[in-house]
Amino acid sequence: MKKWLNHGIKLMLMILLISGLAGCGKEKEAESKKGTAMTFGVTSFADTLEPTEQYFGWVISRYGVGENLVRFNKEGKLEPSLAEKWSVSEDQLTWNFNIRKGVKFSNGTDLTPELVKKSLERSFELNDRSSTFFELDSIHVDEENILIKTKKPSAVVPGSLADPLFLIVDTTVNTDSFAKDGPICTGPYAVERFDPTEECKLVKNDYYWDGEVPLAEVTMKCIDDQATRSMALQNGEIQVAYNLKTENMEEFKNNKTIKMLELDSLRSTYSFMNQKGPLKDLKLRQALIRGLNREAYAKKLLRGGATPGKAPIPATLDFGFDELKDENAYDPEAAKKLLAEAGYQDKDGDGYVEMPDGKPLDLEFVIYTSREELNVYAQAAQADLKNIGIKVTLNTVSYETLLDMRDSASFDLLIWNVLVANTGDPENYLRENWHSKSPSNQANYKNEKVDALIDELAVTFDENKRRNLVIEIQQLIMDDAATIFFGYEITYLFYSNKVKGAELYPMDYYWLTKEIAFQ
């Protein structure tokens, strides 16, 4: 009995020792993982990871998965990426991009000029928006180069290819799986798991070509509510928070564990006005814009987190902001006078005007939920327009639904927030939104002179001439009261002081980069 008792004690001690070692191992593993796993708090943006769908290539780029032939640096200037250098022919029709050697996709497949060609052709084939960048004639492979020929000279080809729509994917795999599993790309991280409303789990790309990748895994956690996202940063649930605003500065003012970056962005918030409905009336559009106190929205409601809107392009870019005349600046009395002159009257005494033919006027304003400032603008506009007798009904939807409603022209007013220089230049932005033949122009805006000037801009290489054309185009759009320009936001980035390498880029295609790591 004594012998068996001693044996039992030894066995128990051995089990405890093994358990202790295992526990230590788990603690070390957890500690190790803690230093190589990071969580970002983001707003849900895409219900698919197919980069050619709508604008969802932005997700692939921001999450450190996709890369382009060229990219923008912190100063907004173009620099090499998957292409080492580029040049244009004397006739300005053929661009030569030299493809970088030694690059692999995240599945180990070699990046070749042939695969670059197929990837770019796929983007042009699957997204109509591609035609708004430049008119493609052909793409050919010449040894280590690809030759992109355009139908007309275009100064913005390199910058266009930096747009996330044109990120390079491996077309040798089953591309049907991209929507759910993420595309196979060349960035520092690869998609491991994707849940559109919950999170996107990313893992280190072991084949990454441009240096060491510091984090083993990164979780992009969807937290749409701004207050909840802020709290998650405060309690350490996340280490980086995007799309927080001015009011969050007060929350972190005396918190030494949180750092903040601030940038006057190239983003504009505006609203399309659908001219297929009641807003085809110029006087109604003019009255509507004059009824909006955009300065109060930016300086008071957003607490200085934006500058007041006026023109398509903000003053952060040198395209004549101060030279442009705003005939529709805030003037509610002038707005009421315009409505009366055009025959809009409140005949039933409900405080809202009817249309000149006596029918009710109720404008549907479609907004989306993932940017808090959009809701602020929309509610303020609804209140201001009520004061001049225009009824507006807000329809709050997801971003994905908003895109569908825009493309089907199912709106009177529809809010929009985009980069005004997504190619490093406003040409594509102007064409995409205000050229009558653009597939994205579903508001039915048409001005033949605007079309002609945008077409002229596309073939103009001289910078001074381009600037003058852009200023003229903007003034025409403003004179037509085509669009409500609410404001130009300041971008903020809040993150833990344990994080290093975080940056804000003027072209906000880049969130998770190979530089981001723990201190």
Side-chain angles (χ1 to χ4, degrees), residues 417-430:
N417 178 281
V418 295
L419 278 177
V420 302
N422 59 327
T423 66
D425 178 280
E427 179 195 318
N428 174 254
Y429 161 73
L430 294 170

Side-chain angles (χ1 to χ4, degrees), residues 145-266:
N145 308 299
I146 61 164
L147 306 179
I148 297 177
K149 186 176 181 180
T150 58
K151 293 180 179 178
K152 299 176 182 177
S154 174
V156 297
V157 169
S160 296
L161 295 179
D163 187 282
L165 175 58
F166 298 110
L167 56 83
I168 305 303
V169 304
D170 182 3
T171 57
T172 66
V173 301
N174 177 19
T175 57
D176 291 341
S177 67
F178 286 179
K180 183 176 180 295
D181 301 328
I184 304 301
C185 300
T186 62
Y189 295 92
V191 177
E192 183 179 68
R193 186 177 70 252
F194 174 60
D195 183 329
T197 59
E198 295 295 328
E199 64 182 28
C200 184
K201 182 65 70 69
L202 307 163
V203 294
K204 174 182 177 179
N205 173 9
D206 292 326
Y207 295 99
Y208 189 54
W209 61 275
D210 192 22
E212 183 61 29
V213 180
L215 301 172
E217 65 180 53
V218 179
T219 300
M220 296 293 184
K221 188 175 180 63
C222 296
I223 309 174
D224 283 341
D225 181 71
Q226 184 174 310
T228 306
R229 198 160 61 255
S230 174
M231 185 57 67
L233 182 61
Q234 293 177 57
N235 64 28
E237 180 185 346
I238 63 176
Q239 288 78 52
V240 182
Y242 271 92
N243 289 338
L244 292 181
K245 301 300 173 188
T246 310
E247 53 266 34
N248 300 112
M249 295 172 69
E250 286 299 315
E251 301 170 11
F252 299 112
K253 190 174 179 181
N254 298 314
N255 189 337
K256 295 182 179 179
T257 67
I258 303 298
K259 292 185 176 181
M260 185 202 77
L261 295 175
E262 178 180 333
L263 178 72
D264 286 333
S265 77
L266 299 180

Side-chain angles (χ1 to χ4, degrees), residues 404-453:
D404 292 337
M405 295 180 76
R406 183 202 67 165
D407 291 346
S408 61
S410 303
F411 63 90
D412 291 311
L413 300 159
L414 184 140
I415 208 153
W416 205 240
N417 178 281
V418 295
L419 278 177
V420 302
N422 59 327
T423 66
D425 178 280
E427 179 195 318
N428 174 254
Y429 161 73
L430 294 170
R431 175 178 295 278
E432 185 173 340
N433 291 297
W434 293 286
H435 195 289
S436 66
K437 294 182 180 179
S438 167
S440 300
N441 178 8
Q442 298 301 324
N444 205 38
Y445 171 68
K446 184 175 182 178
N447 181 318
E448 291 182 359
K449 189 169 184 181
V450 168
D451 286 353
L453 290 172

